Short mmCIF file of all heavy atoms in Angstrom, two decimals:
data_model
loop_
_atom_site.label_atom_id
_atom_site.label_comp_id
_atom_site.label_asym_id
_atom_site.label_seq_id
_atom_site.Cartn_x
_atom_site.Cartn_y
_atom_site.Cartn_z
N LEU A 116 80.09 -10.03 82.77
CA LEU A 116 79.15 -8.93 82.99
C LEU A 116 79.24 -7.90 81.86
O LEU A 116 78.22 -7.40 81.38
CB LEU A 116 79.42 -8.26 84.34
CG LEU A 116 78.49 -7.11 84.72
CD1 LEU A 116 77.04 -7.56 84.74
CD2 LEU A 116 78.88 -6.52 86.07
N ALA A 117 80.46 -7.59 81.43
CA ALA A 117 80.63 -6.63 80.34
C ALA A 117 79.94 -7.13 79.07
O ALA A 117 79.28 -6.36 78.36
CB ALA A 117 82.11 -6.38 80.08
N LYS A 118 80.08 -8.42 78.78
CA LYS A 118 79.42 -8.97 77.58
C LYS A 118 77.91 -8.95 77.73
O LYS A 118 77.19 -8.64 76.78
CB LYS A 118 79.92 -10.39 77.31
CG LYS A 118 81.36 -10.43 76.81
CD LYS A 118 81.74 -11.77 76.21
CE LYS A 118 81.76 -12.88 77.23
NZ LYS A 118 82.22 -14.16 76.64
N GLN A 119 77.41 -9.28 78.91
CA GLN A 119 75.96 -9.27 79.12
C GLN A 119 75.40 -7.87 78.90
O GLN A 119 74.31 -7.72 78.32
CB GLN A 119 75.63 -9.74 80.53
CG GLN A 119 74.13 -9.68 80.84
CD GLN A 119 73.79 -10.22 82.21
OE1 GLN A 119 74.45 -11.12 82.72
NE2 GLN A 119 72.74 -9.68 82.82
N LEU A 120 76.11 -6.84 79.36
CA LEU A 120 75.63 -5.47 79.25
C LEU A 120 76.02 -4.81 77.93
O LEU A 120 75.63 -3.66 77.67
CB LEU A 120 76.17 -4.63 80.41
CG LEU A 120 75.83 -5.12 81.82
CD1 LEU A 120 76.47 -4.22 82.86
CD2 LEU A 120 74.32 -5.21 82.03
N GLY A 121 76.78 -5.54 77.09
CA GLY A 121 77.23 -4.95 75.83
C GLY A 121 78.14 -3.76 76.03
O GLY A 121 78.14 -2.81 75.25
N ALA A 122 78.96 -3.81 77.08
CA ALA A 122 79.79 -2.65 77.45
C ALA A 122 81.21 -2.81 76.92
O ALA A 122 81.86 -3.83 77.19
CB ALA A 122 79.82 -2.50 78.96
N PRO A 123 81.72 -1.84 76.18
CA PRO A 123 83.14 -1.87 75.81
C PRO A 123 84.00 -1.75 77.05
O PRO A 123 83.69 -0.99 77.97
CB PRO A 123 83.31 -0.64 74.91
CG PRO A 123 81.98 -0.01 74.76
CD PRO A 123 81.03 -0.64 75.71
N VAL A 124 85.08 -2.52 77.09
CA VAL A 124 85.95 -2.57 78.27
C VAL A 124 87.16 -1.67 78.06
O VAL A 124 87.84 -1.74 77.02
CB VAL A 124 86.40 -4.01 78.55
CG1 VAL A 124 87.44 -4.04 79.67
CG2 VAL A 124 85.21 -4.88 78.91
N VAL A 125 87.44 -0.84 79.04
CA VAL A 125 88.68 -0.08 79.10
C VAL A 125 89.53 -0.71 80.19
O VAL A 125 89.12 -0.79 81.36
CB VAL A 125 88.41 1.41 79.42
CG1 VAL A 125 89.73 2.15 79.61
CG2 VAL A 125 87.57 2.05 78.33
N LEU A 126 90.70 -1.21 79.80
CA LEU A 126 91.54 -1.96 80.73
C LEU A 126 92.61 -1.03 81.31
O LEU A 126 93.40 -0.44 80.57
CB LEU A 126 92.19 -3.14 80.01
CG LEU A 126 92.69 -4.29 80.87
CD1 LEU A 126 91.53 -4.96 81.60
CD2 LEU A 126 93.41 -5.33 80.01
N VAL A 127 92.60 -0.88 82.63
CA VAL A 127 93.61 -0.08 83.32
C VAL A 127 94.78 -0.99 83.68
O VAL A 127 94.61 -2.01 84.35
CB VAL A 127 93.02 0.56 84.59
CG1 VAL A 127 94.07 1.41 85.31
CG2 VAL A 127 91.80 1.42 84.24
N ILE A 128 95.97 -0.61 83.25
CA ILE A 128 97.16 -1.43 83.45
C ILE A 128 98.12 -0.73 84.41
O ILE A 128 98.50 0.43 84.19
CB ILE A 128 97.90 -1.70 82.11
CG1 ILE A 128 96.97 -2.41 81.12
CG2 ILE A 128 99.15 -2.54 82.36
CD1 ILE A 128 96.51 -3.78 81.56
N ASP A 129 98.48 -1.42 85.48
CA ASP A 129 99.52 -0.95 86.39
C ASP A 129 100.86 -1.20 85.70
O ASP A 129 101.31 -2.35 85.58
CB ASP A 129 99.44 -1.71 87.70
CG ASP A 129 100.52 -1.32 88.70
OD1 ASP A 129 101.45 -0.57 88.32
OD2 ASP A 129 100.45 -1.76 89.86
#
Side-chain angles (χ1 to χ4, degrees):
L116 181 58
K118 289 195 294 184
Q119 178 177 328
L120 302 178
V124 173
V125 175
L126 201 63
V127 180
I128 301 296
D129 178 351

